[in-house]
Amino acid sequence: MTPIIIAVGVALFLGIVGGLMTPIDAWYHNLRKPPWQPPNWAFGPAWTIILGLAAWSGVTAWNAAATDTQRATVIILFASNAICHFKWSPLFFKLRRPDWALVEVFFLWASLVAMVVMLWPISPLASLLIWPYLAWVSFAAFLNWTIVKLNGPFGSRR
């Protein structure tokens, strides 16, 4: 039961804090965005599903881990990912630095690739449950890059 409580708690924390760190204000509305960007309302449900799948993946991997080394791998993978996940919104929205968020999203993406690869020997299901997260972050990284391209440079008063 403890892995489920931890996984759900982390997913809720990341979802709630991520939402709080994502003000949709005048600055954001004034950014030039591509016409293919999903509507703002779609991001909340997408992240809810993705974080739910990640929690399921974490519990599945933990339960499938046969050794202390595998359990340590699961903890390191999910903790690294949580840290990377946590950093993106404040960089983009609070600091108003989509360019810094674009650098950070690479680390988030790399943490997901590591999860897909390193979870597979522990639990193929846990690895597969991360694929939607990886796909969404890949899309989000391209969206982030496009916003930087359309609006840069950042960091100077505009």
Side-chain angles (χ1 to χ4, degrees), residues 58-74 121-123:
V59 172
T60 301
W62 181 264
N63 289 337
T67 66
D68 288 342
T69 301
Q70 286 184 335
R71 281 186 282 284
T73 298
V74 171
I122 298 168
S123 168

Side-chain angles (χ1 to χ4, degrees), residues 89-100:
S89 287
L91 290 171
F92 192 102
F93 290 97
K94 289 292 188 179
L95 296 179
R96 298 181 176 182
R97 293 301 304 253
D99 51 345
W100 292 354

Side-chain angles (χ1 to χ4, degrees), residues 5 23-24 42 46 64 103 109-110 133 136 142 152-153:
I5 293 169
I24 305 300
V103 172
W109 185 87
Y133 191 175
W136 183 256
F142 184 64

Side-chain angles (χ1 to χ4, degrees), residues 42-59:
F43 288 89
W47 279 117
T48 300
I49 292 166
I50 287 163
L51 290 173
L53 290 172
W56 182 11
S57 173
V59 172

Side-chain angles (χ1 to χ4, degrees), residues 19-112:
L20 293 173
M21 298 298 283
T22 308
I24 305 300
D25 58 10
W27 173 82
Y28 179 76
H29 285 295
N30 289 328
L31 288 174
R32 289 186 298 276
K33 295 178 260 331
W36 46 265
Q37 176 178 319
N40 291 338
W41 63 262
F43 288 89
W47 279 117
T48 300
I49 292 166
I50 287 163
L51 290 173
L53 290 172
W56 182 11
S57 173
V59 172
T60 301
W62 181 264
N63 289 337
T67 66
D68 288 342
T69 301
Q70 286 184 335
R71 281 186 282 284
T73 298
V74 171
I75 291 169
I76 290 166
L77 288 170
F78 281 89
S80 299
N81 173 260
I83 291 166
C84 292
H85 181 99
F86 180 79
K87 289 182 176 183
W88 188 88
S89 287
L91 290 171
F92 192 102
F93 290 97
K94 289 292 188 179
L95 296 179
R96 298 181 176 182
R97 293 301 304 253
D99 51 345
W100 292 354
L102 183 59
V103 172
E104 196 283 332
V105 81
F106 170 78
F107 294 99
L108 175 57
W109 185 87
S111 77
L112 292 165

Side-chain angles (χ1 to χ4, degrees), residues 133-158:
Y133 191 175
L134 178 60
W136 183 256
V137 168
S138 297
F139 171 77
F142 184 64
L143 177 59
N144 191 163
W145 176 81
T146 303
I147 289 171
V148 168
K149 186 177 173 186
L150 291 171
N151 294 277
F154 293 91
S156 57
R157 300 212 182 259
R158 297 178 0 157

